[in-house]
C-alpha cells in the first residue's frame, strides 16, 4: 500500500517523478505528492485525489528540471485522504522531507514525546513522527540521525528522504515494506516496486530488511541499522517494459485476463521437462516429501482461493492432510504444526503483511516453507527456503487475474509431482494429466473468444443489486473467487457459497431480485448442482450458469448460460472457469462505469495489517 519513488542524478524534468509515480498508482490512489530541492529550499506539492490531478496542478512546473526528488501515492491508514495528510511530510525547520509506505505502530507515543519537545505537527499521519525524530536527532550528520531514528520506530516502513542538510543525497530505508533501487550511469532511482523503474533501468538492488541506502548521482552505499557498510548486490531484471503497459487494452485487468494462456504456457516451459514435472529451485528432499503427512496453506484474497483449490488437489492426489486458513487468522491461531509438515504460502506480490508474518512464524517453529510467488525479489521469496515462481509477469490491475490461474496451475503441477514421489498415482494418470493440462491454454483462448457473449450477459445482469456464486467440490473455491472479483470491482454485494449449504440459510435470500451464478460443469457433483438450480428457479431467482458445451439438464433451467469445454479430468476445470468469471465481473463493472483498475478503498499490495 502506498507507492514511493525517488531520483537523484542529472537534472530531469519534474515529469520524471510524476511518471514514475503513475506506474505505482495501483498501490494506492487517494492522494499524492512530490518534493524536491531547489536553491537550498524544499519545494513540496501535495494533492488529494489522483496523480492526474497533481499533474494538472503542476502543469506549468512539470518541465522544470531538478536533480533530486521524492514522490508518493497514498492509501490512507492514519488520517483522512486530504492535502494535509498526503505525503511528503516535512520537519519544523523545513529541512527534511520524507515519504513513507508502512505503519509506525508506536507513533502516538512518539508524537506525544515530540509534542512535549515543541515539535509542530501538521497532519494526523503516523509518518510525520519520522521527520520530527530525524530533526530531533540531527547533529550535523544525517545518517547518524537516521540511525537513531530507526531504533525508535516500531512497525514496518519503506522511507525515502531528501534534506537540504545533504542535498546531494537521496536516502532510502527499508524495514518490512518493499524498496528497490534502480541504478544508471546518470542517476539513481528508488521505488516501491519494479514497474516504476522498468522504463528507466534494468539494473536493480533489492534492499534487504533493516538496510539504509544512500544514493548519490554516481554512487550507492548501503548500511545496516548499526551503521555498518553492507555489500551492494546488483541484479538485472528480466522483465520487458511493455509487460507493464496496457498494450491497447482499455484496462490492465482486461489485458491481464487475456494474457492467461501465455502465462500458463510459460509455466509449462519452466516446470515441464521432457513431459516430466520438475521444480529446479526446490530444496525439499525426496525422503521428506515421501513421508510428508500435513500441509498447511496460507494466503490472502485471491491467492487464498488458489490455495483452497490446492487443498482439493493435494488431498485427492497425495493422500496428505491439508489445512488452509487466511493468513490474518492463521498467524493468530494456536496452530500446532507437527513435524513432517510443510507450509505453503501463496502470494502474487510476496509483500502481503499477513502472509509474511504467518510464514515467518512457521519458520520460527522450524516448519519447512514453500512459497508460490509472482515476484522474485519480494520479501516472501527471500524468506522462504523453497520457492516456486509463478511467471505471470507484472500484474497491475488491483483485481488479481493472471496470477490466480498461474497459482492454480503451479498447485496442480506440485500435487502431481508430490503424488508421483509418494507413488500414489499411476504413470498413466500422470501422463494423461500433463497432456490435458497442456491443452488448457488453447481452451482458454477459445473461452476468451466468447468475450462478446459474456459482455452481453454481464450487461443484463449488472442491474442486480446482490449476487450469490454457487459451486460444489473443486468449484466451490471458484465460486468464492467469482464473488470476490465481482464485489471488488463493481461494489455489488456478492457472496460465494458451497451450493450444498443453500438450504442451511442463504436460500432465504432468493427471490426475483437475486442473481445466482451457478457453476455446474459435468463432474461427480453435477446432479446435485442441477437440484440446487431447480431450488433457486422454484423461488424465482435469476440463474446464470457456467456449463459444459454438452449440457442438457442445467441449460434448460437457467436464464442464461456460458459454455466451456468439458475436460477428461474435471479437477482442472477451475482453470477454465476463472477467465469466465473474471470477464463477467469486468463487464459488469464496466457497464456500471466503475474504476476497474483502481477500485475504491483497495490497493494492490496489502503491506500493512
Ligand atoms: O499479493 P497477494 O497475492 O499476497 O495479495 C493477496 C490479496 O491482497 C489479493 O489477492 C487481493 O485479494 C486481490 N485484490 C484480489 O483480486
Amino acid at each position: 500500500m502506498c507507492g514511493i519513488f525517488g531520483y537523484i542524478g542529472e537534472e530531469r524534468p519534474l515529469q520524471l517523478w510524476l511518471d514514475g509515480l503513475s506506474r505505482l498508482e495501483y498501490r494506492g490512489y487517494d492522494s499524492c505528492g512530490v518534493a524536491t530541492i531547489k536553491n537550498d529550499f524544499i519545494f513540496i506539492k501535495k494533492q488529494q485525489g489522483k496523480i492526474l490531478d497533481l499533474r494538472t496542478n503542476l502543469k506549468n512546473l512539470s518541465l522544470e528540471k531538478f536533480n533530486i526528488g521524492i514522490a508518493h501515492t497514498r492509501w490512507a491508514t492514519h488520517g483522512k485522504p486530504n492535502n494535509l495528510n498526503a505525503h511528503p511530510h516535512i520537519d519544523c525547520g523545513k529541512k527534511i522531507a520524507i515519504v513513507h509506505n508502512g505503519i509506525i505502530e508506536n507513533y502516538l507515543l512518539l508524537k506525544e514525546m515530540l509534542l512535549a519537545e515543541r515539535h509542530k505537527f501538521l497532519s494526523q499521519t503516523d509518518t510525520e513522527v519520522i521527520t520530527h525524530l530525524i530533526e530531533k536527532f540531527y547533529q550535523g550528520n544525517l545518517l547518524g540521525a537516521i540511525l537513531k531514528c530507526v531504533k525508535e520506530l516500531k512497525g514496518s516502513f519503506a522511507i525515502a528522504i531528501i534534506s537540504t542538510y545533504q542535498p546531494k543525497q537521496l536516502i532510502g530505508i527499508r524495514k518490512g515494506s518493499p524498496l528497490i533501487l534502480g541504478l544508471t550511469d546518470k542517476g539513481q532511482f528508488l521505488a516501491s516496486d519494479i514497474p516504476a523503474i522498468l522504463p528507466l533501468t534494468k539494473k536493480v538492488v533489492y534492499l534487504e530488511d533493516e538496510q539504509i541506502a544512500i544514493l548519490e548521482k554516481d554512487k550507492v552505499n548501503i548500511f545496516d541499522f548499526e551503521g555498518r557498510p553492507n555489500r551492494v548486490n546488483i541484479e538485472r531484471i528480466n522483465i520487458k517494459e511493455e509487460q507493464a503497459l496496457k498494450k491497447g487494452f482499455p484496462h490492465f485487468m482486461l489485458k491481464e485476463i487475456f494474457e492467461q494462456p501465455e502465462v500458463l504456457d510459460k509455466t509449462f516451459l519452466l516446470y515441464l521437462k521432457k513431459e516430466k514435472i520438475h521444480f529446479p529451485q526446490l530444496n525439499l528432499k525426496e525422503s521428506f516429501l515421501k513421508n510428508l503427512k500435513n500441509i498447511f496453506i496460507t494466503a490472502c484474497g485471491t491467492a487464498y482461493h488458489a490455495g483452497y483449490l490446492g487443498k482439493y488437489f493435494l488431498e485427492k492426489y497425495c493422500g496428505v492432510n491439508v489445512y488452509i486458513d487466511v493468513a490474518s487468522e492463521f498467524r493468530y491461531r494456536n496452530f500446532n504444526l507437527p513435524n513432517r509438515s510443510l507450509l505453503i504460502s501463496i502470494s502474487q506480490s510476496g509483500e502481503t503483511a499477513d502472509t509474511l508474518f504467518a510464514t515467518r512464524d512457521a519458520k520460527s517453529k522450524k516448519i519447512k516453507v514453500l512459497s508460490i510467488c509472482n515476484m522474485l525479489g519480494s520479501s516472501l521469496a527471500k524468506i522462504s527456503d523453497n520457492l516456486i515462481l509463478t511467471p505471470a509477469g507484472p500484474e497491475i490491475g488491483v483485481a488479481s487475474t493472471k496470477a490466480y490461474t498461474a497459482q492454480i496451475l503451479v498447485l496442480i503441477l506440485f500435487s502431481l509431482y508430490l503424488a508421483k514421489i509418494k507413488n500414489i498415482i499411476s504413470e498413466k494418470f500422470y501422463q494423461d494429466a500433463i497432456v490435458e493440462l497442456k491443452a488448457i491454454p488453447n481452451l482458454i483462448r477459445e473461452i476468451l473468444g466468447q468475450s462478446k457473449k459474456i459482455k452481453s450477459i454481464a450487461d443484463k445482469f449488472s442491474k442486480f443489486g446482490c449476487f450469490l456464486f454457487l459451486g460444489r467440490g473443486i468449484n466451490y473455491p471458484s465460486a468464492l473467487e467469482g464473488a470476490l472479483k465481482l464485489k471488488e470491482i463493481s461494489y455489488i454485494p456478492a457472496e460465494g457459497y458451497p451450493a450444498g449449504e443453500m438450504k442451511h440459510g442463504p436460500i432465504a435470500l432468493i427471490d426475483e431480485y437475486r442473481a445466482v451464478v451457478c457453476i455446474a460443469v459435468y463432474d461427480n457433483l453435477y446432479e446435485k448442482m442441477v437440484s440446487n438450480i431447480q431450488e433457486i428457479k422454484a423461488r424465482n431467482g435469476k440463474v446464470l450458469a457456467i456449463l459444459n458445451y454438452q449440457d442438457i439438464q442445467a441449460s434448460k433451467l437457467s436464464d442464461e448460460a456460458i459454455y466451456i469445454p468439458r475436460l477428461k479430468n474435471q479437477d482442472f476445470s477451475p482453470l477454465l472457469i476463472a477467465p469466465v468469471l473474471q470477464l463477467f465481473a469486468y463487464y459488469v463493472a464496466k457497464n456500471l462505469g466503475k474504476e476497474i483498475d483502481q477500485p475504491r478503498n483497495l490497493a494492490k499490495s496489502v503491506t500493512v495489517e
Side-chain angles (χ1 to χ4, degrees):
M1 331 205 92
C2 301
I4 65 184
F5 180 83
Y7 169 72
I8 183 159
E10 287 187 355
E11 289 205 325
R12 309 276 291 259
L14 195 63
Q15 195 91 40
L16 170 93
W17 284 267
L18 299 174
D19 291 349
L21 203 55
S22 296
R23 292 189 289 272
L24 289 173
E25 202 168 18
Y26 62 88
R27 298 179 67 88
Y29 31 83
D30 57 42
S31 53
C32 51
V34 59
T36 176
I37 301 176
K38 192 91 180 183
N39 302 329
D40 219 20
F41 280 103
I42 291 186
F43 164 84
I44 294 188
K45 186 77 192 167
K46 309 201 232 185
Q47 177 77 48
Q48 177 178 351
K50 302 230 166 165
I51 297 165
L52 195 63
D53 305 316
L54 183 63
R55 277 184 199 272
T56 317
N57 251 331
L58 285 171
K59 209 168 184 187
N60 301 331
L61 256 182
S62 63
L63 293 177
E64 196 170 322
K65 292 186 171 174
F66 301 91
N67 59 15
I68 186 167
I70 50 178
H72 187 267
T73 179
R74 181 168 185 244
W75 186 90
T77 57
H78 298 60
K80 289 203 165 113
N82 58 26
N83 279 1
L84 283 180
N85 292 328
H87 300 211
H89 292 285
I90 195 156
D91 64 317
C92 304
K94 306 212 178 324
K95 302 272 188 207
I96 306 156
I98 77 154
V99 290
H100 164 222
N101 165 211
I103 287 186
I104 306 303
E105 287 164 3
N106 58 337
Y107 87 101
L108 279 175
L109 282 178
L110 294 170
K111 190 168 177 175
E112 247 172 58
M113 172 193 84
L114 290 159
L115 282 170
E117 293 176 12
R118 296 181 185 281
H119 286 264
K120 291 220 160 27
F121 281 76
L122 302 173
S123 75
Q124 288 98 44
T125 63
D126 52 335
T127 302
E128 201 182 341
V129 296
I130 306 169
T131 46
H132 293 288
L133 272 180
I134 299 175
E135 176 175 45
K136 167 185 158 85
F137 290 129
Y138 181 77
Q139 285 178 337
N141 176 345
L142 199 52
L143 178 61
I146 288 171
L147 289 172
K148 285 188 182 151
C149 167
V150 292
K151 293 211 165 70
E152 300 293 325
L153 302 178
K154 290 209 173 97
S156 64
F157 44 88
I159 301 168
I161 305 174
I162 55 171
S163 169
T164 53
Y165 290 131
Q166 277 158 228
K168 292 192 173 147
Q169 291 184 341
L170 164 68
I171 299 176
I173 311 172
R174 175 186 174 157
K175 186 184 169 204
S177 301
L179 195 60
I180 50 162
L181 314 179
L183 314 184
T184 75
D185 297 338
K186 296 182 179 160
Q188 328 299 345
F189 299 91
L190 60 74
S192 301
D193 203 354
I194 297 283
I197 55 161
L198 260 187
L200 304 161
T201 180
K202 299 276 182 289
K203 250 168 85 177
V204 302
V205 176
Y206 293 97
L207 222 55
E208 304 275 343
D209 250 2
E210 308 214 347
Q211 282 191 327
I212 300 169
I214 301 198
L215 311 180
E216 294 180 21
K217 185 180 167 196
D218 45 17
K219 66 172 185 224
V220 173
N221 285 302
I222 296 182
F223 302 90
D224 65 16
F225 277 12
E226 298 304 320
R228 292 176 295 231
N230 280 187
R231 244 178 78 104
V232 180
N233 286 322
I234 302 174
E235 297 181 36
R236 276 201 80 78
I237 39 171
N238 194 13
I239 301 175
K240 294 197 188 93
E241 190 190 333
E242 69 259 24
Q243 282 180 269
L245 299 175
K246 280 191 206 151
K247 290 200 217 152
F249 284 90
H251 296 99
F252 279 110
M253 182 181 176
L254 191 63
K255 178 198 133 199
E256 287 158 5
I257 292 173
F258 274 81
E259 279 175 347
Q260 290 177 106
E262 197 188 316
V263 168
L264 299 191
D265 279 335
K266 270 193 201 152
T267 311
F268 292 126
L269 275 181
L270 281 181
Y271 304 125
L272 271 188
K273 199 172 168 193
K274 296 189 182 153
E275 306 305 294
K276 291 248 174 306
I277 301 163
H278 78 142
F279 293 109
Q281 278 101 22
L282 224 56
N283 288 322
L284 296 168
K285 288 205 180 101
E286 218 174 289
S287 57
F288 170 80
L289 291 173
K290 254 192 183 131
N291 294 315
L292 186 61
K293 287 268 182 298
N294 302 299
I295 295 184
F296 295 80
I297 300 179
T298 196
C300 302
T302 290
Y304 166 75
H305 298 152
Y308 214 134
L309 287 165
K311 173 179 160 72
Y312 281 88
F313 306 133
L314 288 159
E315 280 175 349
K316 186 164 177 185
Y317 299 146
C318 309
V320 284
N321 306 314
V322 185
Y323 309 89
I324 176 157
D325 211 345
V326 287
S328 52
E329 288 298 316
F330 181 77
R331 58 177 292 207
Y332 290 113
R333 280 169 66 183
N334 259 344
F335 241 110
N336 187 11
L337 302 177
N339 281 337
R340 294 204 286 170
S341 299
L342 175 71
L343 175 77
I344 301 185
S345 300
I346 309 170
S347 171
Q348 186 284 126
S349 62
E351 301 296 348
T352 301
D354 287 316
T355 310
L356 285 173
F357 277 115
T359 308
R360 286 198 189 102
D361 192 42
K363 278 194 71 166
S364 74
K365 292 177 179 150
K366 304 268 177 285
I367 298 302
K368 290 203 184 341
V369 174
L370 161 64
S371 293
I372 296 175
C373 181
N374 199 38
M375 300 303 288
L376 203 50
S378 64
S379 305
L380 185 65
K382 284 199 166 137
I383 62 169
S384 309
D385 356 70
N386 292 278
L387 171 72
I388 303 183
L389 185 77
T390 47
E395 192 183 61
I396 312 279
V398 166
S400 185
T401 53
K402 60 178 180 170
Y404 174 63
T405 39
Q407 286 157 355
I408 302 175
L409 180 57
V410 159
L411 283 159
I412 295 176
L413 292 176
F414 181 70
S415 308
L416 294 169
Y417 171 84
L418 182 61
K420 199 78 208 322
I421 288 179
K422 283 177 162 291
N423 216 359
I424 294 179
I425 53 170
S426 69
E427 180 64 23
K428 173 151 180 6
F429 181 89
Y430 177 84
Q431 287 306 334
D432 288 351
I434 290 173
V435 170
E436 178 134 59
L437 285 168
K438 282 182 74 182
I440 283 184
N442 273 339
L443 299 179
I444 296 182
R445 286 186 181 97
E446 220 178 90
I447 290 168
L448 296 173
Q450 295 190 55
S451 62
K452 269 200 185 132
K453 179 184 171 189
I454 298 175
K455 179 181 181 320
S456 81
I457 294 175
D459 287 350
K460 285 186 212 155
F461 273 78
S462 55
K463 64 172 193 280
F464 286 93
C466 170
F467 276 78
L468 269 176
F469 284 70
L470 301 181
R472 295 184 86 120
I474 196 80
N475 279 311
Y476 163 48
S478 301
L480 292 176
E481 176 59 9
L484 177 64
K485 281 292 85 83
L486 185 70
K487 69 183 136 196
E488 69 178 336
I489 59 170
S490 72
Y491 319 148
I492 299 176
E495 213 175 337
Y497 235 86
E501 275 289 297
M502 280 297 280
K503 293 186 204 66
H504 303 285
I507 201 159
L509 288 171
I510 304 297
D511 60 20
E512 68 269 37
Y513 304 109
R514 299 306 142 193
V516 188
V517 179
C518 297
I519 305 167
V521 292
Y522 278 121
D523 58 17
N524 57 332
L525 295 168
Y526 173 77
E527 302 290 345
K528 299 203 183 296
M529 268 312 300
V530 173
S531 303
N532 292 132
I533 296 176
Q534 299 265 23
E535 289 154 12
I536 296 159
K537 284 315 301 169
R539 287 156 184 84
N540 295 326
K542 288 282 166 297
V543 171
L544 162 61
I546 319 292
L547 306 173
N548 285 131
Y549 284 126
Q550 301 83 349
D551 188 278
I552 37 175
Q553 293 185 58
S555 52
K556 288 188 191 130
L557 299 169
S558 312
D559 298 277
E560 295 282 352
I562 299 167
Y563 295 92
I564 60 169
R566 181 177 181 171
L567 299 170
K568 281 193 201 113
N569 185 344
Q570 288 282 54
D571 291 347
F572 308 151
S573 63
L575 284 167
L576 301 183
I577 289 161
V580 173
L581 296 178
Q582 293 161 356
L583 282 174
F584 178 73
Y586 173 82
Y587 286 121
V588 170
K590 191 156 184 224
N591 185 285
L592 297 174
K594 303 295 184 209
E595 286 221 40
I596 292 174
D597 281 336
Q598 294 172 353
R600 71 177 179 208
N601 303 339
L602 292 178
K604 184 72 183 160
S605 325
V606 184
T607 54
V608 294
E609 259 197 89

